[in-house]
Amino acid sequence: MKQEAEEAEKSYEQSLRDARAKASNVAESTRQSVDAEISAELTAADADAERESEKAEARIREIKSAALANIDAVAADVADTLITELTGKSVTSAKINAALKKA
């Protein structure tokens, strides 16, 4: 009877060790799976952010180019208005544009 109890105890302890090892393996496998999923999500989010950043930078360049393209026309209008207001005389657009190109 004592031997049967000892064998039962050994069997129980072995079952307990096996269950702990299995639980540890399941936990490690789950951790690795979650880590891989997080890594994939972060990679995708980084790629999305990079694409959005590139789009924003392209839009900024477009706006800047458009603003700079109009700067000469704005400067010419301002110069024409100032000359007319200050001197009461009108100057041709060609003269204003020539003067702006020299500046």
Side-chain angles (χ1 to χ4, degrees), residues 48-63:
D48 287 346
E50 183 65 26
R51 279 191 298 276
E52 290 301 316
S53 175
E54 289 172 3
K55 286 180 188 177
E57 288 175 8
R59 182 68 181 130
I60 290 168
R61 284 190 299 273
E62 289 173 9
I63 292 169

PDB file of all heavy atoms in Angstrom, residues 48-63:
ATOM      1  N   ASP A  48       2.389  53.311 -43.139  1.00  0.00           N
ATOM      2  CA  ASP A  48       1.275  54.244 -43.357  1.00  0.00           C
ATOM      3  C   ASP A  48       1.685  55.671 -43.001  1.00  0.00           C
ATOM      4  O   ASP A  48       1.393  56.618 -43.742  1.00  0.00           O
ATOM      5  CB  ASP A  48       0.055  53.851 -42.520  1.00  0.00           C
ATOM      6  CG  ASP A  48      -0.644  52.608 -43.047  1.00  0.00           C
ATOM      7  OD1 ASP A  48      -0.366  52.209 -44.194  1.00  0.00           O
ATOM      8  OD2 ASP A  48      -1.468  52.040 -42.295  1.00  0.00           O
ATOM      9  N   ALA A  49       2.356  55.820 -41.874  1.00  0.00           N
ATOM     10  CA  ALA A  49       2.794  57.153 -41.441  1.00  0.00           C
ATOM     11  C   ALA A  49       3.781  57.738 -42.440  1.00  0.00           C
ATOM     12  O   ALA A  49       3.725  58.938 -42.749  1.00  0.00           O
ATOM     13  CB  ALA A  49       3.423  57.082 -40.051  1.00  0.00           C
ATOM     14  N   GLU A  50       4.667  56.914 -42.956  1.00  0.00           N
ATOM     15  CA  GLU A  50       5.647  57.387 -43.944  1.00  0.00           C
ATOM     16  C   GLU A  50       4.940  57.851 -45.219  1.00  0.00           C
ATOM     17  O   GLU A  50       5.267  58.902 -45.774  1.00  0.00           O
ATOM     18  CB  GLU A  50       6.649  56.273 -44.261  1.00  0.00           C
ATOM     19  CG  GLU A  50       7.736  56.681 -45.217  1.00  0.00           C
ATOM     20  CD  GLU A  50       8.673  57.744 -44.683  1.00  0.00           C
ATOM     21  OE1 GLU A  50       8.835  57.853 -43.448  1.00  0.00           O
ATOM     22  OE2 GLU A  50       9.256  58.477 -45.499  1.00  0.00           O
ATOM     23  N   ARG A  51       3.954  57.067 -45.674  1.00  0.00           N
ATOM     24  CA  ARG A  51       3.201  57.460 -46.877  1.00  0.00           C
ATOM     25  C   ARG A  51       2.462  58.774 -46.647  1.00  0.00           C
ATOM     26  O   ARG A  51       2.466  59.659 -47.506  1.00  0.00           O
ATOM     27  CB  ARG A  51       2.217  56.361 -47.274  1.00  0.00           C
ATOM     28  CG  ARG A  51       2.846  55.221 -48.047  1.00  0.00           C
ATOM     29  CD  ARG A  51       1.789  54.296 -48.650  1.00  0.00           C
ATOM     30  NE  ARG A  51       0.958  53.648 -47.643  1.00  0.00           N
ATOM     31  CZ  ARG A  51       1.281  52.538 -46.984  1.00  0.00           C
ATOM     32  NH1 ARG A  51       2.442  51.964 -47.222  1.00  0.00           N
ATOM     33  NH2 ARG A  51       0.455  52.015 -46.096  1.00  0.00           N
ATOM     34  N   GLU A  52       1.821  58.917 -45.498  1.00  0.00           N
ATOM     35  CA  GLU A  52       1.089  60.141 -45.193  1.00  0.00           C
ATOM     36  C   GLU A  52       2.044  61.327 -45.085  1.00  0.00           C
ATOM     37  O   GLU A  52       1.718  62.433 -45.524  1.00  0.00           O
ATOM     38  CB  GLU A  52       0.278  59.977 -43.906  1.00  0.00           C
ATOM     39  CG  GLU A  52      -0.894  59.022 -44.046  1.00  0.00           C
ATOM     40  CD  GLU A  52      -1.879  59.441 -45.125  1.00  0.00           C
ATOM     41  OE1 GLU A  52      -2.226  60.628 -45.207  1.00  0.00           O
ATOM     42  OE2 GLU A  52      -2.302  58.553 -45.887  1.00  0.00           O
ATOM     43  N   SER A  53       3.202  61.098 -44.511  1.00  0.00           N
ATOM     44  CA  SER A  53       4.199  62.159 -44.392  1.00  0.00           C
ATOM     45  C   SER A  53       4.676  62.605 -45.777  1.00  0.00           C
ATOM     46  O   SER A  53       4.815  63.801 -46.041  1.00  0.00           O
ATOM     47  CB  SER A  53       5.386  61.660 -43.559  1.00  0.00           C
ATOM     48  OG  SER A  53       6.409  62.629 -43.520  1.00  0.00           O
ATOM     49  N   GLU A  54       4.907  61.639 -46.649  1.00  0.00           N
ATOM     50  CA  GLU A  54       5.332  61.977 -48.014  1.00  0.00           C
ATOM     51  C   GLU A  54       4.244  62.757 -48.747  1.00  0.00           C
ATOM     52  O   GLU A  54       4.543  63.705 -49.481  1.00  0.00           O
ATOM     53  CB  GLU A  54       5.696  60.704 -48.775  1.00  0.00           C
ATOM     54  CG  GLU A  54       6.985  60.079 -48.291  1.00  0.00           C
ATOM     55  CD  GLU A  54       7.266  58.718 -48.887  1.00  0.00           C
ATOM     56  OE1 GLU A  54       6.473  58.251 -49.748  1.00  0.00           O
ATOM     57  OE2 GLU A  54       8.276  58.103 -48.507  1.00  0.00           O
ATOM     58  N   LYS A  55       2.979  62.354 -48.556  1.00  0.00           N
ATOM     59  CA  LYS A  55       1.873  63.087 -49.183  1.00  0.00           C
ATOM     60  C   LYS A  55       1.820  64.519 -48.669  1.00  0.00           C
ATOM     61  O   LYS A  55       1.630  65.468 -49.440  1.00  0.00           O
ATOM     62  CB  LYS A  55       0.537  62.402 -48.891  1.00  0.00           C
ATOM     63  CG  LYS A  55       0.295  61.140 -49.654  1.00  0.00           C
ATOM     64  CD  LYS A  55      -1.073  60.579 -49.270  1.00  0.00           C
ATOM     65  CE  LYS A  55      -1.318  59.219 -49.850  1.00  0.00           C
ATOM     66  NZ  LYS A  55      -2.617  58.668 -49.409  1.00  0.00           N
ATOM     67  N   ALA A  56       1.971  64.685 -47.362  1.00  0.00           N
ATOM     68  CA  ALA A  56       1.923  66.023 -46.766  1.00  0.00           C
ATOM     69  C   ALA A  56       3.082  66.878 -47.278  1.00  0.00           C
ATOM     70  O   ALA A  56       2.890  68.055 -47.601  1.00  0.00           O
ATOM     71  CB  ALA A  56       1.968  65.921 -45.243  1.00  0.00           C
ATOM     72  N   GLU A  57       4.258  66.298 -47.346  1.00  0.00           N
ATOM     73  CA  GLU A  57       5.412  67.052 -47.842  1.00  0.00           C
ATOM     74  C   GLU A  57       5.228  67.448 -49.301  1.00  0.00           C
ATOM     75  O   GLU A  57       5.574  68.568 -49.688  1.00  0.00           O
ATOM     76  CB  GLU A  57       6.690  66.230 -47.664  1.00  0.00           C
ATOM     77  CG  GLU A  57       7.121  66.124 -46.209  1.00  0.00           C
ATOM     78  CD  GLU A  57       8.327  65.216 -46.014  1.00  0.00           C
ATOM     79  OE1 GLU A  57       8.935  64.783 -47.013  1.00  0.00           O
ATOM     80  OE2 GLU A  57       8.649  64.938 -44.853  1.00  0.00           O
ATOM     81  N   ALA A  58       4.657  66.563 -50.099  1.00  0.00           N
ATOM     82  CA  ALA A  58       4.393  66.886 -51.507  1.00  0.00           C
ATOM     83  C   ALA A  58       3.378  68.023 -51.601  1.00  0.00           C
ATOM     84  O   ALA A  58       3.542  68.944 -52.413  1.00  0.00           O
ATOM     85  CB  ALA A  58       3.872  65.650 -52.250  1.00  0.00           C
ATOM     86  N   ARG A  59       2.354  67.981 -50.774  1.00  0.00           N
ATOM     87  CA  ARG A  59       1.340  69.045 -50.781  1.00  0.00           C
ATOM     88  C   ARG A  59       1.941  70.372 -50.345  1.00  0.00           C
ATOM     89  O   ARG A  59       1.644  71.420 -50.929  1.00  0.00           O
ATOM     90  CB  ARG A  59       0.179  68.654 -49.849  1.00  0.00           C
ATOM     91  CG  ARG A  59      -0.934  69.657 -49.828  1.00  0.00           C
ATOM     92  CD  ARG A  59      -1.674  69.721 -51.150  1.00  0.00           C
ATOM     93  NE  ARG A  59      -2.719  70.736 -51.050  1.00  0.00           N
ATOM     94  CZ  ARG A  59      -2.905  71.689 -51.931  1.00  0.00           C
ATOM     95  NH1 ARG A  59      -2.168  71.742 -53.016  1.00  0.00           N
ATOM     96  NH2 ARG A  59      -3.845  72.574 -51.762  1.00  0.00           N
ATOM     97  N   ILE A  60       2.809  70.345 -49.356  1.00  0.00           N
ATOM     98  CA  ILE A  60       3.493  71.569 -48.904  1.00  0.00           C
ATOM     99  C   ILE A  60       4.337  72.142 -50.044  1.00  0.00           C
ATOM    100  O   ILE A  60       4.348  73.353 -50.278  1.00  0.00           O
ATOM    101  CB  ILE A  60       4.344  71.293 -47.653  1.00  0.00           C
ATOM    102  CG1 ILE A  60       3.428  71.036 -46.454  1.00  0.00           C
ATOM    103  CG2 ILE A  60       5.311  72.435 -47.368  1.00  0.00           C
ATOM    104  CD1 ILE A  60       4.139  70.472 -45.235  1.00  0.00           C
ATOM    105  N   ARG A  61       5.047  71.263 -50.761  1.00  0.00           N
ATOM    106  CA  ARG A  61       5.853  71.730 -51.897  1.00  0.00           C
ATOM    107  C   ARG A  61       4.980  72.365 -52.977  1.00  0.00           C
ATOM    108  O   ARG A  61       5.336  73.386 -53.568  1.00  0.00           O
ATOM    109  CB  ARG A  61       6.673  70.581 -52.480  1.00  0.00           C
ATOM    110  CG  ARG A  61       7.893  70.205 -51.657  1.00  0.00           C
ATOM    111  CD  ARG A  61       8.805  69.232 -52.391  1.00  0.00           C
ATOM    112  NE  ARG A  61       8.152  67.972 -52.705  1.00  0.00           N
ATOM    113  CZ  ARG A  61       8.095  66.919 -51.894  1.00  0.00           C
ATOM    114  NH1 ARG A  61       8.646  66.984 -50.702  1.00  0.00           N
ATOM    115  NH2 ARG A  61       7.490  65.815 -52.277  1.00  0.00           N
ATOM    116  N   GLU A  62       3.806  71.752 -53.232  1.00  0.00           N
ATOM    117  CA  GLU A  62       2.879  72.309 -54.226  1.00  0.00           C
ATOM    118  C   GLU A  62       2.408  73.697 -53.808  1.00  0.00           C
ATOM    119  O   GLU A  62       2.384  74.630 -54.622  1.00  0.00           O
ATOM    120  CB  GLU A  62       1.666  71.396 -54.396  1.00  0.00           C
ATOM    121  CG  GLU A  62       1.940  70.099 -55.096  1.00  0.00           C
ATOM    122  CD  GLU A  62       0.732  69.168 -55.073  1.00  0.00           C
ATOM    123  OE1 GLU A  62      -0.369  69.598 -54.651  1.00  0.00           O
ATOM    124  OE2 GLU A  62       0.891  68.008 -55.476  1.00  0.00           O
ATOM    125  N   ILE A  63       2.004  73.822 -52.558  1.00  0.00           N
ATOM    126  CA  ILE A  63       1.513  75.110 -52.051  1.00  0.00           C
ATOM    127  C   ILE A  63       2.617  76.152 -52.103  1.00  0.00           C
ATOM    128  O   ILE A  63       2.391  77.297 -52.523  1.00  0.00           O
ATOM    129  CB  ILE A  63       0.972  74.951 -50.619  1.00  0.00           C
ATOM    130  CG1 ILE A  63      -0.302  74.110 -50.644  1.00  0.00           C
ATOM    131  CG2 ILE A  63       0.710  76.300 -49.971  1.00  0.00           C
ATOM    132  CD1 ILE A  63      -0.769  73.667 -49.270  1.00  0.00           C
TER     133      ILE A  63
END
